[in-house]
Amino acid sequence: MSILAGIGRIFLEFLASVGRLSLFLGNSLWEGFKPPYFFRQILRQFLEIGYLSLPVVGLTALFTGMVLALQSYTGFSRFNAENAVASVVILSMTRELGPVLAGLMVAGRMGASMAAEIGTMRVTEQIDALTTLSTHPSKYLIAPRILAGVLTLPLLVMVADIIGVFGGYLVSVYKLGFNPATYLKQSWDFLERADVASGLIKAAAFGFIITSMGCYQGYYSKGGAQGVGKATTNAVVSASILILITNYLLTAILFDA
């Protein structure tokens, strides 16, 4: 009986969390559409999420493309299909690795930062002070972050795709001996608009997930510094898991698999 009671308690807590998250996001989006708009806050989030995340995303994409070219060449050489390296690198980067790796990197960097910043404001009662000053916290703190995340992640992924393909090009041409013109032609011939578009759609979804989880965990943090630390960890873990689940679902939908 105690086991059933425990399962029921966990299930009810899960439903309560889903309901609270839904109300939090619905209220944030509703408030975000209504004036006044905090353009300076939005611009600041654009810079923090996009510009400041560019080095870590670019470095990750560069080495991923390089390793992908090496591994593909090693595998394909077993059945004389080395010419497929260019197509594998560009399709893998644009469809999957670009958006997923960029999402995970931004989740680790900005998801944690948002949860820590908003969580600190919560435990030091700065959010209560905003409400006292007739500034809605969802409009000032949450909506600009979600908007910036949804719009910035696709731009980051476009840059990651280009850098990742460039990394594969460097290894293929200067280490594996591919002809540069032939490699670029094969990459371009195999690439379709749907491949790039699917990656950008995933990136927008991942941006929404990262900013939502970071803001939600920080907004409901409690218990002082320990509570802020817990919220930071929860923001990164929950965003990373949701990114992987969403990636599978979007892949199945976009490619009708």
Side-chain angles (χ1 to χ4, degrees), residues 2-178:
S2 59
I3 296 177
L4 291 177
I7 295 173
R9 190 182 307 111
I10 293 172
F11 183 68
L12 290 175
E13 289 176 356
F14 173 75
L15 289 180
S17 299
V18 171
R20 188 169 58 180
L21 176 61
S22 301
L23 290 174
F24 173 79
L25 293 177
N27 186 47
S28 300
L29 296 176
W30 174 252
E31 291 295 332
F33 279 110
K34 295 191 299 185
Y37 304 108
F38 297 95
F39 291 108
R40 182 172 296 181
Q41 186 74 350
I42 295 173
L43 179 61
R44 178 191 161 211
Q45 297 306 321
F46 267 103
L47 291 175
E48 290 192 357
I49 298 174
Y51 182 72
L52 298 181
S53 299
L54 194 54
V56 65
V57 171
L59 199 62
T60 303
L62 177 66
F63 283 99
T64 299
M66 295 170 73
V67 170
L68 189 59
L70 274 179
Q71 291 284 20
S72 300
Y73 182 82
T74 304
F76 290 148
S77 62
R78 296 177 181 176
F79 41 92
N80 299 320
E82 295 91 339
N83 291 334
V85 170
S87 58
V88 168
V89 169
I90 197 164
L91 292 183
S92 300
M93 288 303 305
T94 53
R95 285 187 177 191
E96 297 297 332
L97 296 178
V100 171
L101 291 177
L104 293 176
M105 289 298 106
V106 176
R109 184 181 177 278
M110 289 310 304
S113 174
M114 288 180 192
E117 183 180 356
I118 297 177
T120 302
M121 294 181 70
R122 166 61 72 189
V123 299
T124 56
E125 300 181 351
Q126 294 181 55
I127 293 180
D128 297 331
L130 281 176
T131 306
T132 305
L133 295 172
S134 301
T135 301
H136 201 296
S138 296
K139 178 183 289 297
Y140 183 75
L141 294 176
I142 314 302
R145 286 171 168 80
I146 293 178
L147 177 64
V150 171
L151 296 180
T152 305
L153 256 293
L155 298 176
L156 273 176
V157 167
M158 286 184 68
V159 176
D161 290 345
I162 295 171
I163 294 176
V165 172
F166 178 67
Y169 172 86
L170 289 177
V171 170
S172 299
V173 172
Y174 295 105
K175 183 175 177 59
L176 304 177
F178 280 68

Side-chain angles (χ1 to χ4, degrees), residues 39 50 166 201 204 226 248 253:
F39 291 108
F166 178 67
I201 292 172
Q226 187 177 7
Y248 172 78
I253 294 171

